Amino acid sequence: MIETIYDVVIVGGGPSGLYSSFSCGIRGLKVKLLEARATLGGRIPLYQENIIWDLGGAQGKLASDIANNLLDAAQQFSPDIVYNQQVKTIKKEATGFTLTSQDGQNHRAKTVILASALGIIQPRKLKIPDAYENLHYPVSEVINFKAYTNQTVLLYGNPESLSSYALLLQQVAKAVILVTKKTDFPNAEKFSENVTALTQVEISDFASEGDVISAVTLSDGQVIPVSQVLIHLGMKREGNTITFENFDLATVEQHGHDFIQNDTNTTTSTEGLYVVGDLGSYPDKNYMLAACMAEGSNAAGQVARYLDESAEANLIVSTHNEVFKTKNQALVSQYFS
């Protein structure tokens, strides 16, 4: 088997990694994206029920909608996305880099964009299989709330977060059932008639049909038919230290952590390796969502020019870029439909 050597491997599937994937795709680069978890989205799931105001052109949009758009954009150019790949070591080779994950898999690339964070957020889970199609953990999974139209949705766990989800879901769902071991739900006075709040009770069992949970049994004996189940039991943070085997990267200490020192154009002290998002640090760095996307675009440009000195430094705007010509025509024709 001939080993695939990618133009770029992107480490991390949060906003900066997703936009880096999109930006590299525009330039025709062959991309592999490695995500340490089973889902993409980075930290956006932690606040996905909130409204984003600091992203130009998307002010006042739900964070989950922005995240879902980022997921769609990242996959526009069909990158190879590999889940559950926590990169442990990166080695500099004569022709690029070898990245080795926790399970020993090697990934080869001519360049690397580091878009990972200091820690990996994982949800605390129930002791049941993850394989159910309608079982979701919003701590790590981007939810498309509109997809639950006319469904019966059961939410279990942290009452503060579940209340926020309920206020969104009650607008589209057939029924929303909130379940918690605690004594009350914040903002319960704002719940609609299709919301049922059950306190001081917990899930004791599930019934399923194939890969779908069909009903939930509670500790008080109630059996509730369900379409979707969302679990929020809190989260745990796992370390995400990457070892650079045969080279060093300049770092800077901030807030008790070592950040990779990079330039505003995302370059580092090692040629061919770029840093975007939370892991990088340079003077007056902006950590807002819009800034990490600008860094993703800059990193793609740096990769393209590193691989080919004749590559354009600045791309033509997307409205006139040939890459989008066919898609633009289709969208314009559907605009008023």
Side-chain angles (χ1 to χ4, degrees):
M1 179 182 292
I2 299 175
E3 183 179 21
T4 300
I5 301 178
Y6 291 80
D7 291 325
V8 57
V9 164
I10 300 170
V11 181
S16 56
L18 293 173
Y19 202 74
S20 295
S21 174
F22 171 74
S23 300
C24 288
I26 293 175
R27 291 179 173 274
L29 301 174
K30 187 171 182 60
V31 177
K32 176 181 274 190
L33 190 152
L34 303 179
E35 169 54 46
R37 303 182 307 180
T39 56
L40 300 172
R43 295 183 182 179
I44 286 185
L46 299 179
Y47 55 87
Q48 62 179 308
E49 73 278 15
N50 295 322
I51 303 296
I52 299 295
W53 291 100
D54 56 12
L55 184 61
Q59 289 91 344
K61 300 296 183 181
L62 199 64
S64 64
D65 288 345
I66 290 174
N68 277 304
N69 286 341
L70 281 171
L71 295 173
D72 290 342
Q75 298 178 73
Q76 282 262 0
F77 302 100
S78 302
D80 287 341
I81 299 176
V82 189
Y83 299 92
N84 299 309
Q85 289 292 286
Q86 184 176 354
V87 174
K88 304 302 289 186
T89 63
I90 300 178
K91 183 178 181 181
K92 190 83 164 68
E93 309 279 9
T95 56
F97 299 86
T98 297
L99 299 85
T100 304
S101 60
Q102 84 289 349
D103 59 2
Q105 289 194 53
N106 290 325
H107 307 274
R108 299 283 308 282
K110 300 171 186 175
T111 64
V112 173
I113 297 177
L114 289 181
S116 55
L118 290 172
I120 301 167
I121 302 298
Q122 297 283 17
R124 298 190 183 279
K125 296 186 175 183
L126 294 174
K127 294 180 180 179
I128 63 171
D130 286 343
Y132 293 115
E133 293 178 1
N134 59 340
L135 175 64
H136 310 282
Y137 292 91
V139 164
S140 64
E141 182 178 350
V142 177
I143 303 298
N144 181 355
F145 292 97
K146 295 176 184 177
Y148 297 129
T149 299
N150 296 325
Q151 299 193 44
T152 299
V153 186
L154 184 140
L155 300 94
Y156 175 63
N158 182 300
E160 288 77 16
S161 296
L162 298 189
S163 291
S164 298
Y165 300 150
L167 293 175
L168 291 168
L169 289 169
Q170 69 183 14
Q171 302 177 56
V172 295
K174 176 182 178 181
V176 179
I177 299 98
L178 297 173
V179 179
T180 185
K181 293 187 288 186
K182 296 188 179 181
T183 56
D184 55 45
F185 284 94
N187 299 312
E189 71 280 0
K190 298 179 182 178
F191 293 161
S192 299
E193 292 182 356
N194 63 338
V195 177
T196 302
L198 304 174
T199 59
Q200 297 180 293
V201 67
E202 56 188 311
I203 292 175
S204 62
D205 200 6
F206 291 86
S208 63
E209 297 177 1
D211 294 332
V212 176
I213 296 172
S214 57
V216 171
T217 301
L218 304 182
S219 55
D220 62 1
Q222 291 189 71
V223 178
I224 302 174
V226 297
S227 307
Q228 301 286 342
V229 179
L230 275 65
I231 307 294
H232 193 308
L233 299 174
M235 61 186 180
K236 52 188 177 180
R237 187 188 301 271
E238 299 176 356
N240 189 32
T241 302
I242 299 174
T243 298
F244 305 108
E245 274 197 8
N246 56 349
F247 66 98
D248 293 316
L249 284 177
T251 60
V252 56
E253 194 276 335
Q254 292 180 172
H255 314 298
H257 297 282
D258 285 333
F259 292 77
I260 295 174
Q261 185 175 326
N262 63 333
D263 203 339
T264 55
N265 64 7
T266 75
T267 56
T268 67
S269 56
T270 295
E271 287 190 352
L273 192 149
Y274 310 92
V275 178
V276 298
D278 292 347
L279 195 59
S281 178
Y282 50 82
D284 301 320
K285 179 180 172 72
N286 184 339
Y287 287 92
M288 300 174 82
L289 193 58
C292 79
M293 294 184 191
E295 290 179 357
S297 179
N298 286 338
Q302 292 296 328
V303 168
R305 281 173 280 168
Y306 177 79
L307 297 176
D308 179 1
E309 292 182 354
S310 66
E312 292 290 337
N314 299 302
L315 292 178
I316 188 170
V317 294
S318 60
T319 52
H320 292 74
N321 194 314
E322 283 293 316
V323 170
F324 299 107
K325 184 176 180 179
T326 301
K327 293 179 180 178
N328 288 347
Q329 290 172 344
L331 289 171
V332 168
S333 67
Q334 299 171 11
Y335 186 77
F336 291 107
S337 62

